[in-house]
């Protein structure tokens, strides 16, 4: 039976009810992989998504958001960033996201200063989802147009979080686009 967006939202709510920590977030990741093979969902909510983002669901009890994202750019490379006190699950629908996870190597004692080293890279292909738990710094790159789903623990536009400039070794507060 086809796994629908409604089922995903219901199951994600249940996952948070059972365990609002890392285990529940990983459950959401696994549920998202089931949703990503639903061709009707992809056609209805992702294929039509242009560059930018659209809200698919907001959970009022746990405040997590399910968003459709897209880029039509041919070669898009994002800066390393954190998700503040939140977490994020990225699930690929169309195209590819090249993920890089970064380690912060300075002690955080110097205001605005941050040093990062590359920890690991992996491609996120259609049908796959990855959890970036609270505190993880990552960056995304899209070598070609792509569509993906992002589930976040809250509205990232409302919380304090940072992007990181590797060359200048500075961190900048992110503000809503
Ligand atoms: Fe992110």
């Amino acid at each position: 039976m086809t796994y629908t967006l409604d089922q995903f939202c219901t199951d994600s709510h249940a996952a948070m009810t059972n365990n609002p920590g890392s285990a529940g977030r990983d459950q959401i990741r696994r549920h998202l992989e089931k949703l990503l093979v639903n061709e009707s969902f992809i056609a209805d909510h992702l294929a039509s998504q242009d560059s930018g983002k659209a809200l698919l669901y907001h959970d009022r009890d746990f405040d997590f958001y399910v968003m459709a994202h897209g880029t039509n750019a041919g070669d898009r490379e994002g800066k390393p960033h954190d998700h503040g006190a939140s977490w994020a699950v990225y699930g690929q629908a169309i195209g590819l996201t090249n993920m890089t996870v970064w380690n912060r190597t300075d002690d955080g004692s110097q205001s605005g200063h941050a040093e990062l080293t590359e920890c690991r890279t992996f491609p996120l292909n259609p049908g796959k989802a990855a959890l970036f738990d609270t505190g993880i710094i990552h960056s995304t790159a899209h070598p070609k147009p792509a569509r993906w789903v992002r589930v976040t623990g809250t509205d990232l536009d409302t919380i304090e979080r940072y992007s990181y400039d590797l060359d200048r070794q500075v961190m900048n507060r992110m503000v809503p686009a």
Side-chain angles (χ1 to χ4, degrees):
M1 208 173 91
T2 305
Y3 191 77
T4 66
L5 175 61
D6 280 351
Q7 285 173 293
F8 170 72
C9 296
T10 300
D11 288 349
S12 294
H13 183 99
M16 286 283 105
T17 303
N18 292 334
N19 187 328
S22 295
R25 299 162 193 173
D26 193 60
Q27 280 276 338
I28 291 176
R29 181 193 65 76
R30 281 188 270 165
H31 291 316
L32 183 54
E33 289 191 342
K34 291 185 281 179
L35 179 61
L36 289 168
V37 296
N38 178 340
E39 291 178 7
S40 299
F41 167 73
I42 302 295
D44 292 347
H45 295 287
L46 277 304
S48 58
Q49 173 63 40
D50 219 336
S51 286
K53 59 187 177 181
L55 177 67
L56 298 179
Y57 174 74
H58 172 229
D59 191 279
R60 293 185 182 189
D61 293 328
F62 294 102
D63 199 34
F64 66 84
Y65 284 75
V66 182
M67 310 282 292
H69 288 258
T71 179
N72 290 325
D75 191 8
R76 180 173 179 262
E77 199 162 327
K79 283 185 177 178
H81 61 271
D82 59 46
H83 306 106
S86 183
W87 48 269
V89 172
Y90 284 67
Q92 197 68 30
I94 300 168
L96 161 75
T97 301
N98 284 317
M99 294 287 186
T100 303
V101 178
W102 302 87
N103 281 334
R104 187 165 174 186
T105 54
D106 66 302
D107 62 7
S109 62
Q110 197 180 331
S111 179
H113 178 82
E115 298 172 29
L116 303 185
T117 57
E118 191 177 300
C119 174
R120 68 189 177 104
T121 63
F122 63 97
L124 195 68
N125 289 303
K128 292 297 177 186
L131 167 64
F132 300 90
D133 216 336
T134 305
I136 299 288
I137 298 170
H138 82 136
S139 58
T140 62
H142 299 100
K144 58 184 182 179
R147 304 290 183 269
W148 63 99
V149 174
R150 188 171 73 166
V151 186
T152 55
T154 189
D155 180 356
L156 295 186
D157 286 346
T158 65
I159 61 172
E160 180 180 345
R161 64 194 198 103
Y162 292 87
S163 69
Y164 298 81
D165 187 318
L166 293 169
D167 295 332
R168 296 172 55 225
Q169 296 188 332
V170 296
M171 53 192 290
N172 296 301
R173 175 96 186 251
M174 292 177 76
V175 292

